[in-house]
Amino acid sequence: MAITETRPETVTEHVNPWDTGEIYPSFAQTIGSGDHKTLGRLYVGLALIFGVAAWALTALSSANGVPDDGFLPDDAVFQVYTSGRVTLVLLAVLPLLIGLATYVVPLQVGASTVAFPRAAAAALWTWLVGAVMILAGYATNGGPGGGGRNAVDLTYLGMAAAIVALLLATVCVLTTIVTLRTPGMSLDRVPLFSWSMFVGGSLWMLTLPGLLANLTLVYLDHHYGLPSDFGMADGQWPQLSWAFGQPQVFAYAIPVLGVIGDLVTTMAGTRQRRRGLVLVGTGLLGVLSFGVYAQPFFNEQVREQALYVGTGVLVLLPLLLCFSAWATTMSVRPRITAASIAGLGAALGLLAGGLASALFVIEPLRLQETSAFADGLLVLVVGSTALGGLAGLLFWAPKIWGRFAGEGAGKLAALAGIGGVFLGGLPLCVLGFATRFDALADAEAALLAVAALGGVLLLLATVLTAVALLTARRGDTVAADAWGTGQTLEWLAPSPPPPGNFGQLPVVSSPEPLLDSAETEEAA
Amino acid sequence: MAALARALPAPPVQRPRVLMIGTAFATAGTLMYFVTLLAVYLERRAEALASGDVWLPEGVEVPLTQPNVMLFTLIASAVTIQWAVWAISRDDRLNTYLSLGLTIVFGVAFINMASYLYTIMQFDIGANPQSVLVYAITGGHLVMLVVAMIFTGLMAFRALGGQQSSRQHDGISAAALFWHANVVVFAVIWYAIYVTK
């Protein structure tokens, strides 16, 4: 008993495995790493690859409607449609933002690591296994409503694994923001991207478990011979579709507000004016985008209820609050870079998505009778989110890779992305009015062709961003504050940061600590 | 003065409660999972009753004795895990080990009773619509309990290794938080599924 009654005098000192100084093969270093920078890079790389597949599937789904009888086999049309959405959200956009956050957030809050680095690594690899299961399931006639029984089950297990992994990664990022902030950095002083991840990640924690619950019911019912209606072929997707519709899609876009905010202040070289509006706007978008209750499969009247209609219209308000604050900040002439063009495109796309949301919930417009308008809304919002993620990559490229991304390829990517968001989303929104205007129904093929072109442009934007990042490896190495006007702590660390990220950090006394120190030096 | 300084306990370690906050986020997500499942269950049950049908199919018996015992077992486990937090915050290591061990024993007893309940309910998962919901919810809760037991066991080993003390007992507090959430989830399941049937 003596051993247990007394606390051991010597407690084993915890040593991060990547800090031991031992030399492992680079492959082992990568797959065994718990370093947030390595994990962030892996998320980003894989999300770009899956992003190409997602936009290809989305474009294919629209293009199939152009010829009278389509070119896809009848039994594959719906699978291509759903796989585009699942891949876009679970394998491309969310992982891209989580990857960016895993890399950037610890640097922004002045932490030496992400919270729970082993859990963050486990999340990445679990998500990748889930992604492979999803794609393998779809490739073998699975997915919602698919014909292969085992393949359908495999798809759902993969989706569940991916969601659990993304939630685990989100917990790591959220805990970093809450607990690992450097002294003096109160929650209202965190950089805008970290704040937006705090709001967005909290929303994901409260809504994605709902999708997991839906998946559990669909899987169990389907696996055990359909004793209920949860697993029926034509009922599976309607139970899951809330996660890809209004208002839930805005929950995925929240971190983009932070990307744009940090981008605007850095490119304008001035403090964020009316910063409180951006913080409140981001938080308000979080409240309004809580979408787990909006499940028409279980509550047919939900789209007629005041809560759904009200949040659908009000979603414009936080976007406008943020826009007004950015506009006043941008009155100082900002630098025009690939990142700022992409950020501007993402902001305009989100605004268009907010307008589409306000129209969608107005019942007399009958936009909910077909899926076209909802599909357009999805492309506008999720496309803008993807474009915002690409803007973040171009903006933080010097910090992540130590070199600026190729500006030419980056600008082309930004322009392709802007074109893709609007060409991919607006024609589908217009097609949604076909229930009221017969002439629009006659133009269906043309509108779908333009929407497919939009999907191709978004695919191209993803590829061009990857090219811009790959060409970054050839450029000159950059200083810690690569843009010269950085305001937040990530621009204090070397580019790319070494293990441990920082040396001794000063106590933070405002949201823009780098500007504080520059002003203090000038005054001295 | 020196004697007074020696008599005073060392102040708590000022460090962020990383594990506690992380567990709080994970617990919030877990609760939302059960909220969604229970919302679907109650909605389907209300639909069936409103249309004049009975909810549970004929031949299915859902006794209350076993769920009552399970609830009291978990309430007892909530007491024991809080006992562990109380003990470790006073550096009472013997009571810490005893209470953590008892908590895990209560968890095993709960699983034992749950498996017995499954056998006597005769609720074939593939036979009727209600069984999918009941097994999704109760099975999900069992998974949560197993995770809570693993978490608690891991913290017990860390306490044995000397990593938990009155100055730093974040791990045991975090395990207790998740365990209490698990008890709350079962209390709702007990009322929504086993009592109201």
Side-chain angles (χ1 to χ4, degrees), chain A residues 36 39-45 47 93-108 173 193 197 255-256 258-259 385-397 400-401 469:
Chain A
H36 72 99
L39 296 176
R41 284 193 199 105
L42 284 168
Y43 266 122
V44 164
V93 171
L94 284 181
L96 177 63
L97 294 172
I98 285 177
L100 207 53
T102 303
Y103 195 105
V104 174
V105 164
L107 294 167
Q108 286 200 324
V173 173
F193 178 59
M197 271 309 298
V256 171
V259 171
T385 308
L387 184 57
L390 299 182
L393 278 183
L394 296 168
F395 175 54
W396 280 297
I400 299 175
W401 286 278
L469 298 176

mmCIF file of all heavy atoms in Angstrom, chain A residues 36 39-45 47 93-108 173 193 197 255-256 258-259 385-397 400-401 469:
data_model
loop_
_atom_site.group_PDB
_atom_site.id
_atom_site.type_symbol
_atom_site.label_atom_id
_atom_site.label_comp_id
_atom_site.label_asym_id
_atom_site.label_seq_id
_atom_site.Cartn_x
_atom_site.Cartn_y
_atom_site.Cartn_z
ATOM 1 N N HIS A 36 1.632 20.459 -35.206
ATOM 2 C CA HIS A 36 0.453 21.065 -35.840
ATOM 3 C C HIS A 36 0.759 21.574 -37.236
ATOM 4 O O HIS A 36 -0.127 21.607 -38.099
ATOM 5 C CB HIS A 36 -0.110 22.186 -34.956
ATOM 6 C CG HIS A 36 0.711 23.427 -34.894
ATOM 7 N ND1 HIS A 36 0.440 24.534 -35.645
ATOM 8 C CD2 HIS A 36 1.815 23.741 -34.162
ATOM 9 C CE1 HIS A 36 1.319 25.479 -35.372
ATOM 10 N NE2 HIS A 36 2.171 25.028 -34.477
ATOM 11 N N LEU A 39 0.657 18.507 -39.584
ATOM 12 C CA LEU A 39 -0.736 18.066 -39.715
ATOM 13 C C LEU A 39 -1.529 19.050 -40.577
ATOM 14 O O LEU A 39 -2.316 18.644 -41.434
ATOM 15 C CB LEU A 39 -1.384 17.949 -38.333
ATOM 16 C CG LEU A 39 -0.784 16.904 -37.392
ATOM 17 C CD1 LEU A 39 -1.444 16.968 -36.025
ATOM 18 C CD2 LEU A 39 -0.922 15.504 -37.967
ATOM 19 N N GLY A 40 -1.300 20.342 -40.353
ATOM 20 C CA GLY A 40 -2.008 21.350 -41.140
ATOM 21 C C GLY A 40 -1.694 21.222 -42.619
ATOM 22 O O GLY A 40 -2.593 21.267 -43.462
ATOM 23 N N ARG A 41 -0.406 21.038 -42.929
ATOM 24 C CA ARG A 41 -0.017 20.888 -44.347
ATOM 25 C C ARG A 41 -0.675 19.656 -44.967
ATOM 26 O O ARG A 41 -1.138 19.683 -46.107
ATOM 27 C CB ARG A 41 1.501 20.768 -44.464
ATOM 28 C CG ARG A 41 2.245 22.074 -44.294
ATOM 29 C CD ARG A 41 3.687 21.904 -44.747
ATOM 30 N NE ARG A 41 4.525 22.953 -44.201
ATOM 31 C CZ ARG A 41 5.384 22.797 -43.202
ATOM 32 N NH1 ARG A 41 5.526 21.613 -42.636
ATOM 33 N NH2 ARG A 41 6.105 23.801 -42.769
ATOM 34 N N LEU A 42 -0.711 18.546 -44.212
ATOM 35 C CA LEU A 42 -1.311 17.323 -44.743
ATOM 36 C C LEU A 42 -2.806 17.507 -45.005
ATOM 37 O O LEU A 42 -3.329 17.090 -46.045
ATOM 38 C CB LEU A 42 -1.094 16.161 -43.758
ATOM 39 C CG LEU A 42 0.313 15.572 -43.738
ATOM 40 C CD1 LEU A 42 0.495 14.643 -42.545
ATOM 41 C CD2 LEU A 42 0.587 14.803 -45.033
ATOM 42 N N TYR A 43 -3.491 18.143 -44.051
ATOM 43 C CA TYR A 43 -4.927 18.421 -44.257
ATOM 44 C C TYR A 43 -5.135 19.228 -45.534
ATOM 45 O O TYR A 43 -5.992 18.926 -46.360
ATOM 46 C CB TYR A 43 -5.472 19.243 -43.087
ATOM 47 C CG TYR A 43 -6.121 18.448 -41.970
ATOM 48 C CD1 TYR A 43 -5.661 18.539 -40.662
ATOM 49 C CD2 TYR A 43 -7.229 17.644 -42.218
ATOM 50 C CE1 TYR A 43 -6.264 17.841 -39.624
ATOM 51 C CE2 TYR A 43 -7.833 16.939 -41.190
ATOM 52 C CZ TYR A 43 -7.352 17.039 -39.901
ATOM 53 O OH TYR A 43 -7.950 16.352 -38.890
ATOM 54 N N VAL A 44 -4.337 20.285 -45.670
ATOM 55 C CA VAL A 44 -4.507 21.191 -46.813
ATOM 56 C C VAL A 44 -4.272 20.445 -48.132
ATOM 57 O O VAL A 44 -5.071 20.534 -49.065
ATOM 58 C CB VAL A 44 -3.548 22.394 -46.673
ATOM 59 C CG1 VAL A 44 -3.418 23.137 -47.986
ATOM 60 C CG2 VAL A 44 -4.034 23.329 -45.578
ATOM 61 N N GLY A 45 -3.187 19.686 -48.191
ATOM 62 C CA GLY A 45 -2.859 18.962 -49.422
ATOM 63 C C GLY A 45 -3.949 17.969 -49.800
ATOM 64 O O GLY A 45 -4.407 17.923 -50.954
ATOM 65 N N ALA A 47 -7.081 17.959 -48.751
ATOM 66 C CA ALA A 47 -8.348 18.652 -49.031
ATOM 67 C C ALA A 47 -8.350 19.226 -50.443
ATOM 68 O O ALA A 47 -9.393 19.235 -51.110
ATOM 69 C CB ALA A 47 -8.575 19.762 -48.005
ATOM 70 N N VAL A 93 -14.045 21.091 -48.063
ATOM 71 C CA VAL A 93 -14.138 22.426 -47.451
ATOM 72 C C VAL A 93 -13.827 22.394 -45.952
ATOM 73 O O VAL A 93 -12.977 23.158 -45.474
ATOM 74 C CB VAL A 93 -15.535 23.029 -47.723
ATOM 75 C CG1 VAL A 93 -15.728 24.301 -46.921
ATOM 76 C CG2 VAL A 93 -15.682 23.334 -49.207
ATOM 77 N N LEU A 94 -14.507 21.518 -45.213
ATOM 78 C CA LEU A 94 -14.232 21.465 -43.768
ATOM 79 C C LEU A 94 -12.779 21.086 -43.476
ATOM 80 O O LEU A 94 -12.119 21.736 -42.656
ATOM 81 C CB LEU A 94 -15.202 20.504 -43.070
ATOM 82 C CG LEU A 94 -16.631 21.018 -42.858
ATOM 83 C CD1 LEU A 94 -17.484 19.980 -42.130
ATOM 84 C CD2 LEU A 94 -16.632 22.310 -42.073
ATOM 85 N N PRO A 95 -12.228 20.054 -44.106
ATOM 86 C CA PRO A 95 -10.814 19.730 -43.842
ATOM 87 C C PRO A 95 -9.857 20.843 -44.238
ATOM 88 O O PRO A 95 -8.835 21.042 -43.579
ATOM 89 C CB PRO A 95 -10.565 18.476 -44.685
ATOM 90 C CG PRO A 95 -11.899 17.908 -44.924
ATOM 91 C CD PRO A 95 -12.844 19.052 -44.975
ATOM 92 N N LEU A 96 -10.196 21.574 -45.329
ATOM 93 C CA LEU A 96 -9.329 22.689 -45.731
ATOM 94 C C LEU A 96 -9.276 23.742 -44.618
ATOM 95 O O LEU A 96 -8.198 24.220 -44.237
ATOM 96 C CB LEU A 96 -9.855 23.307 -47.034
ATOM 97 C CG LEU A 96 -9.099 24.525 -47.560
ATOM 98 C CD1 LEU A 96 -7.668 24.159 -47.925
ATOM 99 C CD2 LEU A 96 -9.794 25.129 -48.769
ATOM 100 N N LEU A 97 -10.452 24.073 -44.084
ATOM 101 C CA LEU A 97 -10.498 25.084 -43.020
ATOM 102 C C LEU A 97 -9.869 24.564 -41.732
ATOM 103 O O LEU A 97 -9.154 25.294 -41.032
ATOM 104 C CB LEU A 97 -11.952 25.504 -42.775
ATOM 105 C CG LEU A 97 -12.617 26.233 -43.957
ATOM 106 C CD1 LEU A 97 -14.097 26.434 -43.702
ATOM 107 C CD2 LEU A 97 -11.936 27.576 -44.205
ATOM 108 N N ILE A 98 -10.112 23.282 -41.427
ATOM 109 C CA ILE A 98 -9.522 22.712 -40.207
ATOM 110 C C ILE A 98 -8.004 22.626 -40.359
ATOM 111 O O ILE A 98 -7.255 22.890 -39.404
ATOM 112 C CB ILE A 98 -10.151 21.328 -39.914
ATOM 113 C CG1 ILE A 98 -11.559 21.529 -39.349
ATOM 114 C CG2 ILE A 98 -9.301 20.531 -38.931
ATOM 115 C CD1 ILE A 98 -12.326 20.267 -39.091
ATOM 116 N N GLY A 99 -7.546 22.289 -41.553
ATOM 117 C CA GLY A 99 -6.104 22.231 -41.791
ATOM 118 C C GLY A 99 -5.460 23.599 -41.620
ATOM 119 O O GLY A 99 -4.420 23.752 -40.974
ATOM 120 N N LEU A 100 -6.113 24.598 -42.197
ATOM 121 C CA LEU A 100 -5.613 25.967 -42.058
ATOM 122 C C LEU A 100 -5.589 26.372 -40.582
ATOM 123 O O LEU A 100 -4.608 26.969 -40.097
ATOM 124 C CB LEU A 100 -6.536 26.899 -42.858
ATOM 125 C CG LEU A 100 -5.988 28.200 -43.410
ATOM 126 C CD1 LEU A 100 -4.729 27.978 -44.223
ATOM 127 C CD2 LEU A 100 -7.043 28.897 -44.258
ATOM 128 N N ALA A 101 -6.666 26.014 -39.883
ATOM 129 C CA ALA A 101 -6.756 26.376 -38.454
ATOM 130 C C ALA A 101 -5.716 25.617 -37.636
ATOM 131 O O ALA A 101 -5.101 26.180 -36.726
ATOM 132 C CB ALA A 101 -8.159 26.084 -37.936
ATOM 133 N N THR A 102 -5.519 24.339 -37.962
ATOM 134 C CA THR A 102 -4.540 23.556 -37.210
ATOM 135 C C THR A 102 -3.157 24.170 -37.353
ATOM 136 O O THR A 102 -2.357 24.156 -36.420
ATOM 137 C CB THR A 102 -4.538 22.091 -37.718
ATOM 138 O OG1 THR A 102 -5.861 21.574 -37.583
ATOM 139 C CG2 THR A 102 -3.584 21.224 -36.925
ATOM 140 N N TYR A 103 -2.866 24.722 -38.524
ATOM 141 C CA TYR A 103 -1.566 25.360 -38.728
ATOM 142 C C TYR A 103 -1.510 26.757 -38.104
ATOM 143 O O TYR A 103 -0.575 27.080 -37.364
ATOM 144 C CB TYR A 103 -1.254 25.469 -40.236
ATOM 145 C CG TYR A 103 0.204 25.775 -40.501
ATOM 146 C CD1 TYR A 103 1.060 24.782 -40.960
ATOM 147 C CD2 TYR A 103 0.731 27.037 -40.264
ATOM 148 C CE1 TYR A 103 2.404 25.048 -41.179
ATOM 149 C CE2 TYR A 103 2.062 27.305 -40.474
ATOM 150 C CZ TYR A 103 2.903 26.312 -40.936
ATOM 151 O OH TYR A 103 4.225 26.575 -41.139
ATOM 152 N N VAL A 104 -2.526 27.558 -38.396
ATOM 153 C CA VAL A 104 -2.427 28.994 -38.101
ATOM 154 C C VAL A 104 -2.869 29.365 -36.686
ATOM 155 O O VAL A 104 -2.253 30.228 -36.051
ATOM 156 C CB VAL A 104 -3.253 29.793 -39.147
ATOM 157 C CG1 VAL A 104 -3.302 31.268 -38.795
ATOM 158 C CG2 VAL A 104 -2.669 29.606 -40.537
ATOM 159 N N VAL A 105 -3.921 28.716 -36.174
ATOM 160 C CA VAL A 105 -4.483 29.145 -34.887
ATOM 161 C C VAL A 105 -3.465 29.090 -33.738
ATOM 162 O O VAL A 105 -3.333 30.069 -32.986
ATOM 163 C CB VAL A 105 -5.766 28.337 -34.562
ATOM 164 C CG1 VAL A 105 -6.142 28.468 -33.090
ATOM 165 C CG2 VAL A 105 -6.908 28.839 -35.426
ATOM 166 N N PRO A 106 -2.698 27.992 -33.573
ATOM 167 C CA PRO A 106 -1.708 28.015 -32.479
ATOM 168 C C PRO A 106 -0.721 29.173 -32.621
ATOM 169 O O PRO A 106 -0.323 29.780 -31.625
ATOM 170 C CB PRO A 106 -0.992 26.665 -32.618
ATOM 171 C CG PRO A 106 -1.980 25.790 -33.307
ATOM 172 C CD PRO A 106 -2.724 26.685 -34.237
ATOM 173 N N LEU A 107 -0.355 29.501 -33.862
ATOM 174 C CA LEU A 107 0.563 30.621 -34.070
ATOM 175 C C LEU A 107 -0.114 31.946 -33.711
ATOM 176 O O LEU A 107 0.497 32.821 -33.109
ATOM 177 C CB LEU A 107 1.026 30.666 -35.530
ATOM 178 C CG LEU A 107 1.894 29.489 -35.996
ATOM 179 C CD1 LEU A 107 2.018 29.500 -37.510
ATOM 180 C CD2 LEU A 107 3.271 29.583 -35.363
ATOM 181 N N GLN A 108 -1.392 32.075 -34.077
ATOM 182 C CA GLN A 108 -2.080 33.344 -33.818
ATOM 183 C C GLN A 108 -2.269 33.603 -32.335
ATOM 184 O O GLN A 108 -2.276 34.761 -31.898
ATOM 185 C CB GLN A 108 -3.455 33.338 -34.514
ATOM 186 C CG GLN A 108 -3.372 33.503 -36.021
ATOM 187 C CD GLN A 108 -4.681 33.979 -36.617
ATOM 188 O OE1 GLN A 108 -5.749 33.597 -36.153
ATOM 189 N NE2 GLN A 108 -4.604 34.796 -37.655
ATOM 190 N N VAL A 173 -8.608 22.318 -31.963
ATOM 191 C CA VAL A 173 -8.474 23.742 -32.319
ATOM 192 C C VAL A 173 -9.182 24.622 -31.282
ATOM 193 O O VAL A 173 -8.638 25.628 -30.816
ATOM 194 C CB VAL A 173 -9.045 23.998 -33.734
ATOM 195 C CG1 VAL A 173 -9.082 25.485 -34.045
ATOM 196 C CG2 VAL A 173 -8.211 23.266 -34.782
ATOM 197 N N PHE A 193 -9.343 35.361 -37.415
ATOM 198 C CA PHE A 193 -9.491 33.984 -37.903
ATOM 199 C C PHE A 193 -9.675 33.032 -36.721
ATOM 200 O O PHE A 193 -10.515 32.120 -36.776
ATOM 201 C CB PHE A 193 -8.275 33.563 -38.744
ATOM 202 C CG PHE A 193 -8.357 32.143 -39.229
ATOM 203 C CD1 PHE A 193 -9.413 31.728 -40.024
ATOM 204 C CD2 PHE A 193 -7.392 31.208 -38.891
ATOM 205 C CE1 PHE A 193 -9.507 30.408 -40.471
ATOM 206 C CE2 PHE A 193 -7.474 29.898 -39.327
ATOM 207 C CZ PHE A 193 -8.530 29.503 -40.116
ATOM 208 N N MET A 197 -12.902 30.753 -36.007
ATOM 209 C CA MET A 197 -12.807 29.302 -35.800
ATOM 210 C C MET A 197 -13.451 28.908 -34.475
ATOM 211 O O MET A 197 -14.031 27.840 -34.349
ATOM 212 C CB MET A 197 -11.335 28.845 -35.812
ATOM 213 C CG MET A 197 -10.804 28.489 -37.175
ATOM 214 S SD MET A 197 -11.813 27.314 -38.128
ATOM 215 C CE MET A 197 -11.792 25.853 -37.107
ATOM 216 N N PRO A 255 -15.617 30.436 -40.624
ATOM 217 C CA PRO A 255 -14.178 30.749 -40.572
ATOM 218 C C PRO A 255 -13.698 31.657 -41.702
ATOM 219 O O PRO A 255 -12.684 32.342 -41.554
ATOM 220 C CB PRO A 255 -13.512 29.365 -40.663
ATOM 221 C CG PRO A 255 -14.537 28.423 -40.148
ATOM 222 C CD PRO A 255 -15.842 28.979 -40.611
ATOM 223 N N VAL A 256 -14.444 31.655 -42.808
ATOM 224 C CA VAL A 256 -14.030 32.498 -43.936
ATOM 225 C C VAL A 256 -14.134 33.982 -43.558
ATOM 226 O O VAL A 256 -13.341 34.810 -44.025
ATOM 227 C CB VAL A 256 -14.882 32.168 -45.188
ATOM 228 C CG1 VAL A 256 -14.627 33.163 -46.305
ATOM 229 C CG2 VAL A 256 -14.565 30.763 -45.652
ATOM 230 N N GLY A 258 -13.290 35.171 -40.786
ATOM 231 C CA GLY A 258 -12.025 35.445 -40.113
ATOM 232 C C GLY A 258 -10.868 35.573 -41.088
ATOM 233 O O GLY A 258 -9.998 36.442 -40.934
ATOM 234 N N VAL A 259 -10.864 34.693 -42.102
ATOM 235 C CA VAL A 259 -9.811 34.774 -43.132
ATOM 236 C C VAL A 259 -9.854 36.152 -43.786
ATOM 237 O O VAL A 259 -8.829 36.840 -43.915
ATOM 238 C CB VAL A 259 -9.992 33.672 -44.207
ATOM 239 C CG1 VAL A 259 -9.039 33.893 -45.374
ATOM 240 C CG2 VAL A 259 -9.792 32.294 -43.612
ATOM 241 N N THR A 385 -17.049 29.564 -49.543
ATOM 242 C CA THR A 385 -16.250 29.066 -48.423
ATOM 243 C C THR A 385 -14.948 28.443 -48.935
ATOM 244 O O THR A 385 -13.867 28.689 -48.384
ATOM 245 C CB THR A 385 -17.060 28.021 -47.624
ATOM 246 O OG1 THR A 385 -18.327 28.585 -47.301
ATOM 247 C CG2 THR A 385 -16.344 27.626 -46.356
ATOM 248 N N ALA A 386 -15.068 27.652 -49.997
ATOM 249 C CA ALA A 386 -13.861 27.055 -50.584
ATOM 250 C C ALA A 386 -12.927 28.143 -51.102
ATOM 251 O O ALA A 386 -11.707 28.098 -50.884
ATOM 252 C CB ALA A 386 -14.254 26.105 -51.718
ATOM 253 N N LEU A 387 -13.513 29.147 -51.769
ATOM 254 C CA LEU A 387 -12.698 30.245 -52.296
ATOM 255 C C LEU A 387 -12.030 31.014 -51.149
ATOM 256 O O LEU A 387 -10.856 31.406 -51.247
ATOM 257 C CB LEU A 387 -13.581 31.182 -53.131
ATOM 258 C CG LEU A 387 -12.887 32.336 -53.850
ATOM 259 C CD1 LEU A 387 -11.796 31.826 -54.783
ATOM 260 C CD2 LEU A 387 -13.905 33.169 -54.632
ATOM 261 N N GLY A 388 -12.780 31.206 -50.051
ATOM 262 C CA GLY A 388 -12.203 31.855 -48.876
ATOM 263 C C GLY A 388 -11.063 31.036 -48.292
ATOM 264 O O GLY A 388 -10.045 31.590 -47.855
ATOM 265 N N GLY A 389 -11.229 29.714 -48.290
ATOM 266 C CA GLY A 389 -10.151 28.833 -47.823
ATOM 267 C C GLY A 389 -8.917 28.968 -48.702
ATOM 268 O O GLY A 389 -7.777 29.025 -48.211
ATOM 269 N N LEU A 390 -9.134 29.052 -50.030
ATOM 270 C CA LEU A 390 -8.006 29.221 -50.954
ATOM 271 C C LEU A 390 -7.338 30.587 -50.729
ATOM 272 O O LEU A 390 -6.100 30.704 -50.782
ATOM 273 C CB LEU A 390 -8.476 29.103 -52.409
ATOM 274 C CG LEU A 390 -9.117 27.759 -52.809
ATOM 275 C CD1 LEU A 390 -9.498 27.763 -54.279
ATOM 276 C CD2 LEU A 390 -8.210 26.582 -52.500
ATOM 277 N N ALA A 391 -8.171 31.603 -50.434
ATOM 278 C CA ALA A 391 -7.608 32.926 -50.130
ATOM 279 C C ALA A 391 -6.711 32.843 -48.897
ATOM 280 O O ALA A 391 -5.618 33.427 -48.861
ATOM 281 C CB ALA A 391 -8.739 33.932 -49.897
ATOM 282 N N GLY A 392 -7.185 32.096 -47.898
ATOM 283 C CA GLY A 392 -6.388 31.914 -46.682
ATOM 284 C C GLY A 392 -5.070 31.222 -46.974
ATOM 285 O O GLY A 392 -4.014 31.591 -46.438
ATOM 286 N N LEU A 393 -5.114 30.221 -47.864
ATOM 287 C CA LEU A 393 -3.879 29.506 -48.223
ATOM 288 C C LEU A 393 -2.885 30.447 -48.892
ATOM 289 O O LEU A 393 -1.686 30.438 -48.584
ATOM 290 C CB LEU A 393 -4.199 28.360 -49.190
ATOM 291 C CG LEU A 393 -4.694 27.054 -48.586
ATOM 292 C CD1 LEU A 393 -4.891 26.032 -49.702
ATOM 293 C CD2 LEU A 393 -3.723 26.540 -47.553
ATOM 294 N N LEU A 394 -3.399 31.268 -49.839
ATOM 295 C CA LEU A 394 -2.507 32.199 -50.545
ATOM 296 C C LEU A 394 -1.957 33.254 -49.579
ATOM 297 O O LEU A 394 -0.798 33.660 -49.682
ATOM 298 C CB LEU A 394 -3.267 32.882 -51.694
ATOM 299 C CG LEU A 394 -3.742 31.941 -52.818
ATOM 300 C CD1 LEU A 394 -4.711 32.657 -53.741
ATOM 301 C CD2 LEU A 394 -2.561 31.391 -53.609
ATOM 302 N N PHE A 395 -2.789 33.657 -48.617
ATOM 303 C CA PHE A 395 -2.379 34.687 -47.654
ATOM 304 C C PHE A 395 -1.314 34.158 -46.692
ATOM 305 O O PHE A 395 -0.306 34.815 -46.431
ATOM 306 C CB PHE A 395 -3.631 35.153 -46.895
ATOM 307 C CG PHE A 395 -3.358 36.114 -45.784
ATOM 308 C CD1 PHE A 395 -2.645 37.291 -46.000
ATOM 309 C CD2 PHE A 395 -3.828 35.862 -44.496
ATOM 310 C CE1 PHE A 395 -2.405 38.190 -44.962
ATOM 311 C CE2 PHE A 395 -3.595 36.752 -43.463
ATOM 312 C CZ PHE A 395 -2.880 37.909 -43.696
ATOM 313 N N TRP A 396 -1.551 32.942 -46.155
ATOM 314 C CA TRP A 396 -0.618 32.407 -45.168
ATOM 315 C C TRP A 396 0.467 31.524 -45.785
ATOM 316 O O TRP A 396 1.250 30.925 -45.055
ATOM 317 C CB TRP A 396 -1.379 31.618 -44.091
ATOM 318 C CG TRP A 396 -1.996 32.516 -43.046
ATOM 319 C CD1 TRP A 396 -1.330 33.342 -42.188
ATOM 320 C CD2 TRP A 396 -3.386 32.688 -42.748
ATOM 321 N NE1 TRP A 396 -2.217 34.011 -41.373
ATOM 322 C CE2 TRP A 396 -3.484 33.624 -41.691
ATOM 323 C CE3 TRP A 396 -4.552 32.145 -43.267
ATOM 324 C CZ2 TRP A 396 -4.710 34.026 -41.149
ATOM 325 C CZ3 TRP A 396 -5.762 32.538 -42.722
ATOM 326 C CH2 TRP A 396 -5.833 33.476 -41.677
ATOM 327 N N ALA A 397 0.504 31.440 -47.133
ATOM 328 C CA ALA A 397 1.521 30.602 -47.796
ATOM 329 C C ALA A 397 2.939 30.925 -47.329
ATOM 330 O O ALA A 397 3.730 30.016 -47.040
ATOM 331 C CB ALA A 397 1.407 30.743 -49.316
ATOM 332 N N ILE A 400 3.387 29.263 -44.082
ATOM 333 C CA ILE A 400 3.297 27.793 -44.100
ATOM 334 C C ILE A 400 4.492 27.190 -44.844
ATOM 335 O O ILE A 400 5.067 26.195 -44.412
ATOM 336 C CB ILE A 400 1.962 27.355 -44.756
ATOM 337 C CG1 ILE A 400 0.773 27.896 -43.940
ATOM 338 C CG2 ILE A 400 1.874 25.829 -44.857
ATOM 339 C CD1 ILE A 400 -0.594 27.640 -44.542
ATOM 340 N N TRP A 401 4.855 27.794 -45.983
ATOM 341 C CA TRP A 401 5.916 27.207 -46.803
ATOM 342 C C TRP A 401 7.205 28.036 -46.808
ATOM 343 O O TRP A 401 8.179 27.639 -47.424
ATOM 344 C CB TRP A 401 5.415 27.003 -48.239
ATOM 345 C CG TRP A 401 4.471 25.831 -48.303
ATOM 346 C CD1 TRP A 401 4.813 24.515 -48.381
ATOM 347 C CD2 TRP A 401 3.046 25.868 -48.275
ATOM 348 N NE1 TRP A 401 3.684 23.735 -48.389
ATOM 349 C CE2 TRP A 401 2.578 24.532 -48.328
ATOM 350 C CE3 TRP A 401 2.104 26.888 -48.199
ATOM 351 C CZ2 TRP A 401 1.231 24.191 -48.302
ATOM 352 C CZ3 TRP A 401 0.753 26.544 -48.173
ATOM 353 C CH2 TRP A 401 0.335 25.222 -48.228
ATOM 354 N N LEU A 469 0.909 27.234 -54.978
ATOM 355 C CA LEU A 469 1.608 26.819 -53.757
ATOM 356 C C LEU A 469 2.843 25.987 -54.083
ATOM 357 O O LEU A 469 3.872 26.089 -53.415
ATOM 358 C CB LEU A 469 0.658 26.021 -52.850
ATOM 359 C CG LEU A 469 -0.568 26.802 -52.360
ATOM 360 C CD1 LEU A 469 -1.495 25.908 -51.552
ATOM 361 C CD2 LEU A 469 -0.143 28.003 -51.526
#
